[in-house]
Amino acid sequence: MIKKLLFLPNQRLISSFILPKFCTQYNSKSVQSFYFLANKLEDISKISSRNSGIEALENLMDDYIQGGDNELFLQMVRLLSCKVDNEEIQIANSSLIEILKVVFPDEDITKFLFEKGDIGLYAKEMLQKKLISQQNNQTDKNNLSIEEVIIFFEKLRNLQGDRSRIEKQELIINFLKKIQDPLEIQYFIRILSRSLRIGISEKSIIKALTNINKKKKDSLNQLLRDVQDRVFGYNTTLNSNIQIGTPVPPMLAKPVSDFDELLKFLKKYESKKVSLELKYDGERCQVHYCQDKGIKLFSRNLEIQNDKYPQLVQQLEKYFNKRDDIKNCILDGEIVVTDSKGNIKSFQEQQQNRKRKQDSNSVLAFDEDNIEKIYLFDLLYFNSSQHNHRDQTFRKQLVQDHFAVEGPVDHAESKIFDLSIQKDFEELKDLVKYYIDQKEEGAMVKSLDSNTFYDTNGRTQWAKLKKQVLSGGLADTFDVIPIAAYYGKGKRSGVYGSYLLACYDDKQKEYVALCKIGTGFSDKFLQDSTDRLKQKVCSQKPREYSVHRTFKPDVWFSKDAEVWEVECDSLSSSPIYTIGKTNYGDNGISLRFPRFLRIRDDKTTEQSTKIEQIIEFFNKQQAKPNNNSKDQNDNQQEREEDG
């Protein structure tokens, strides 16, 4: 302690006669340092156990809480979660690469990223190399403060207009050139690229802060609310006050494999009267409107969608301007794209249209061949009153009464059935089959009985039947994670030709291999995915991956790479996959004939399909007649050898 005292400036020494007071000041100065935060994050990155990681996160938070500066704590959490602003600062990885080429002009960043896939690590190693070449002993370096970093992001956010892209690059280049510590530049770049790569999610942060709050006997309730509302921008409880502009986690539905399971599911809630709704092949959207503040569109993942659907925003503004009876509202619906005849385009066509418009100079031009519209199916807030606690029938009626079908707004196709009447149940089944025959995505079944509030905390009282239900196969597609790739051969040379997919194990906190996939890809997708995922390449297999020793892919990806939706013919037993091995002896579970459908950029890897769901589907499949596991396994082995 005396050694620390001797290093203090004289003015600090004079004001530090009392030892406890000195300790407080010293700790306070430490937590204000960006290097202090970066060093703690580096320590957390070396922890493989999730529970140990949460504990380390608690210790980090406690360092800031003890100082009593709540604003500093919130600034730290913004950096920790890469939430430097409620709206994303649009700096793509490709722009960061160009910026680093200017800062470190003599280095080969492309080769480094292909081998290691970490742009922050690149900046760290290049600065280390630069300091060594300059024989800089780093004893006189000026460390950044957290406040300086936050102020930088505020300046970056405020740059707008035609020259904003160039001005942002210049601002970042000048700031990077001032950074003198390799660890600081590594985590600054990672925050700028919105990926710390240390296994921390919003849920981890909330979990750690909740644990501290319990230990302190709920004395941090307000701080916890501030983190949820001011940093993450969402409400997580039914009784919390909903606000316009603050997204609410969407209510989800339980996938069911057949109509018998649907009845069992609804019986659990004593549901008889239900609404059957067409499931559109679009993108989930929450619409927030206020006469004074305008419109915000939020994705399923609570991200702002205005830039993705500018035409829809423009048309919704015209729609609401005509209606004096609507002061403000929060609506739930599905965005689709139609042609001039009203035919709904596929999700893939919708995404291609969005990208084409973003790349053009006339994003707001109305395109008769690609009309953006929204099908409404729920309402949470209307004219300054929240209704998420009201029953489903009441909410649906408000939508019908106040939101006319006009312009970009339509109502989700729905029909009410009483399942206690056999005739109604048969008609419901026929309508679902009709939807499938018409190549629709499927159907949603929603209970209309009492206590059917809008539940954001679990999959309750909504069920979904997707197109696989008629084939006797699976009722749902799977959201999986590409964790590795194999170089393509022949016409696929120069790109990744096939991938190793995994799903997430919530209990073990690891990513477990599920299958290989090489079908369902277009040539363009293979090239685009190779270009994207090169940025996620790791030098070695991450510790969180559970993969059989026989798999030797050409490259491994980081665990935050992407989420893909795939379909398959069925689930099969396989000796080289580990999911369900404890349940089924020597064999695990794999997907038989998997086919790629689309990228789920609205989901994080931890929101992918869990192994419990895989096991549940497999058990249901095994219970069905004419299930030949041996044939499935043999076919799966043949497909993998071909891949």
Side-chain angles (χ1 to χ4, degrees), residues 409-428:
V409 173
D410 206 333
H411 298 160
E413 182 178 323
S414 65
K415 187 173 182 179
I416 296 174
F417 295 94
D418 186 342
L419 297 188
S420 64
I421 302 173
Q422 185 63 30
K423 181 182 176 183
D424 271 24
F425 183 47
E426 294 301 325
E427 288 182 1
L428 180 143

Side-chain angles (χ1 to χ4, degrees), residues 252-256 261-262 265 268-269 444 459-465 476 616 620:
L252 303 177
K254 176 180 172 59
V256 293
E261 185 181 357
L262 173 64
F265 170 74
K268 182 170 63 173
Y269 298 103
M444 301 288 293
R459 296 173 179 266
T460 57
Q461 304 186 55
W462 288 7
K464 62 180 176 181
L465 289 155
D476 204 6
E616 180 183 356
K620 292 173 186 173

Side-chain angles (χ1 to χ4, degrees), residues 23 37 59 122 134 137 204 239 267 272 333 343 389 397 421 433 441 446-447 451 509 516 523 531 546 571 632:
C23 293
L37 176 60
N59 293 334
Y122 170 81
Q134 295 175 348
N137 59 16
S204 302
N239 295 321
K267 185 178 180 180
K272 295 179 181 178
N343 299 314
H389 60 286
Q397 194 60 52
I421 302 173
K433 292 175 182 178
E441 182 70 6
K446 301 178 180 179
S447 172
N451 297 321
K509 308 305 175 188
K516 282 173 63 178
D523 292 341
D531 293 340
S546 175
L571 296 175
Q632 290 176 4

Side-chain angles (χ1 to χ4, degrees), residues 628-639:
N628 192 329
S629 295
K630 183 179 185 304
D631 288 346
Q632 290 176 4
N633 186 49
D634 291 343
N635 288 334
Q636 177 70 13
Q637 290 282 70
E638 290 173 11
R639 174 60 64 93

